[in-house]
Amino acid sequence: MDVLEAFQSYEQDALAAISAASTSEEIEAVRIEFLGKKKGRLKTLQAEVGKAAPEDRPVVGKKFNEVKVGVEEALNAKKQELDKPKAALSAIDITLPGIAPQLGKTHPLTQTIDDFKELMGRLGFEVVDGPEIEDEHHNFVALNIPEDHPARDPLENFYLATANIAGGSEGPLLLRSQTSTVQIRVMSERKPPVRIVSVGRVYRPDTIDATHSCMFHQMEGLMVGDDVTMAQLKSVLSIFARSYLGEGVEIRFRPSFFPFTEPSVEVDMRWGDDWLEVGGAGMVDPNVLKAVGYDPEEVSGFAFGLGIERFCMQRHQITDIRRFYENDVRFLEQF
Ligand code: DAH
């Protein structure tokens, strides 16, 4: 039967053309050629069905339909395949901003420490360092803190259960409880005048809460020379606090006692409706000057020790000191 052969060659041609098409335009051309409603080759074949002998018609009609459906399916499958990458491509909007890489930042405490060093540097103070592992001589004895003083209680300090390192230390070792140790180290090595600050970690087994941590940072300041006065101390601290926290900062000096200063003051900062202690200060005690070989009749000095965390908390309205040490990126990336 000629007509069945015609179906077969139509089908072969159509499937070959479909598989050869490689773009949406080409597949559309194939569709028009083989399935087009007006002049497509299918149209011609359909006319053949009409011409078939009545007894052959059921077979011819069935075959026609099979061929038609087969070609349509193959064409649609190919069309979908060709359209797909285009759809995926258009889903990418190249005009959208890209994903910025996350940049690391300096820790807020490091920023504060850098600011402190810079501010004190501008006031003429040299920045020096001291060790965190100290001996009793530098942490207590030379600072005029007597043996029976509560600050020396083993329960108030992190004493190290080690033999004295290299044998060079004076007395048992501990993690320093204050940066005042650096005053002794500097004065023991230098002749006056001295004008230094030292910033670093200190350690105390305090109960941890919103304003206390067993490791925190202090900035120690020391100025020794001819006629250094308490008025200068107050000026330096006031200028410093205003430079870091702004003109509106309220600080007050409250009479106090430290073994290494006489007279001594505590420095408080306005904290909401209240005051918060941010450090201690005073005129270097004559006993301390003598311990480092200075003559208290010749020179005088002031010293101060400030808690870095509390200044940083005040500046950034941080209400809990523990945030500094948790390394929560959501907190850290705000600075
Ligand atoms: N070292 C004291 C403390 O940690 C703070 C302090 C007070 C430091 C008076 C000083 C000072 O230099 O003169 O509590």
Side-chain angles (χ1 to χ4, degrees):
M1 227 187 293
D2 282 359
V3 69
L4 292 184
E5 267 166 38
F7 286 165
Q8 206 173 20
S9 75
Y10 164 81
E11 187 177 34
Q12 268 170 12
D13 292 351
L15 294 180
I18 289 167
S19 91
S22 61
T23 66
S24 300
E25 288 76 12
E26 285 175 21
I27 200 72
E28 175 61 7
V30 172
R31 189 190 66 76
I32 292 169
E33 179 181 351
F34 288 93
L35 298 169
K37 291 255 155 39
K38 285 183 190 144
K39 293 186 206 143
R41 279 173 60 176
L42 194 70
K43 202 83 189 139
T44 326
L45 287 184
Q46 204 171 5
E48 293 300 321
V49 180
K51 287 183 212 154
E55 64 277 19
D56 290 335
R57 230 176 256 162
V59 182
V60 173
K62 186 162 175 262
K63 187 70 191 162
F64 173 81
N65 271 326
E66 281 170 7
V67 169
K68 177 177 179 257
V69 169
V71 170
E72 279 172 346
E73 270 171 12
L75 187 122
N76 285 338
K78 182 71 180 217
K79 197 167 144 62
Q80 249 180 31
E81 184 194 311
L82 289 176
D83 284 346
K84 207 187 279 161
K86 234 179 155 187
L89 215 88
S90 66
I92 299 169
D93 182 349
I94 57 163
T95 66
L96 283 175
I99 299 164
Q102 228 190 353
L103 293 181
K105 290 191 177 176
T106 313
H107 191 281
L109 280 178
T110 309
Q111 291 179 26
T112 305
I113 289 168
D114 291 345
D115 287 350
F116 279 23
K117 288 178 177 171
E118 149 104 33
L119 286 173
M120 293 310 293
R122 276 194 254 152
L123 292 173
F125 287 76
E126 178 197 342
V127 178
V128 299
D129 260 334
E132 289 177 31
I133 295 178
E134 266 295 4
D135 54 39
E136 284 195 314
H137 174 76
H138 292 90
N139 203 92
F140 301 122
V141 180
L143 285 163
N144 199 34
I145 303 176
E147 185 90 52
D148 56 359
H149 193 282
R152 290 180 70 161
D153 191 319
L155 293 175
E156 300 292 327
N157 293 284
F158 286 111
Y159 275 94
L160 300 184
T162 79
N164 291 351
I165 291 167
S169 60
E170 298 172 66
L173 296 176
L174 71 159
L175 297 179
R176 68 179 176 192
S177 63
Q178 50 186 352
T179 45
S180 303
T181 52
V182 185
Q183 294 184 31
I184 304 304
R185 292 200 170 265
V186 170
M187 287 191 286
S188 305
E189 280 167 16
R190 302 184 187 183
K191 294 271 152 266
V194 169
R195 204 196 282 198
I196 58 100
V197 287
S198 188
V199 184
R201 298 188 186 104
V202 299
Y203 302 85
R204 291 177 201 176
D206 277 341
T207 307
I208 297 169
D209 63 22
T211 50
H212 293 87
S213 160
C214 49
M215 183 284 292
F216 58 101
H217 297 74
Q218 285 185 332
M219 177 170 74
E220 193 78 14
L222 174 72
M223 175 162 162
V224 182
D226 300 336
D227 302 321
V228 174
T229 67
M230 189 86 178
Q232 290 170 338
L233 166 65
K234 291 181 74 175
S235 301
V236 166
L237 288 181
S238 302
I239 292 170
F240 167 76
R242 283 208 299 273
S243 308
Y244 182 67
L245 291 170
E247 287 300 317
V249 62
E250 280 184 79
I251 60 168
R252 72 175 184 190
F253 300 91
R254 189 161 38 84
S256 186
F257 174 81
F258 295 102
F260 33 92
T261 44
E262 180 60 34
S264 305
V265 290
E266 256 167 321
V267 187
D268 295 340
M269 182 163 59
R270 171 70 79 185
W271 194 263
D273 295 336
D274 216 349
W275 294 89
L276 183 71
E277 187 207 324
V278 289
M283 300 305 293
V284 181
D285 193 286
N287 285 341
V288 174
L289 296 174
K290 278 187 221 152
V292 295
Y294 286 11
D295 182 355
E297 301 297 330
E298 292 285 317
V299 291
S300 57
F302 68 65
F304 59 85
L306 305 175
I308 307 238
E309 277 81 351
R310 291 182 177 184
F311 273 86
C312 182
M313 288 166 80
Q314 172 77 347
R315 167 135 161 197
H316 297 293
Q317 304 297 305
I318 297 163
T319 51
D320 196 320
I321 197 171
R322 288 167 286 202
R323 299 281 166 271
F324 289 127
Y325 314 115
E326 288 165 346
N327 280 335
D328 184 335
V329 179
R330 293 167 302 176
F331 170 77
L332 296 174
E333 70 188 1
Q334 296 176 48
F335 301 92

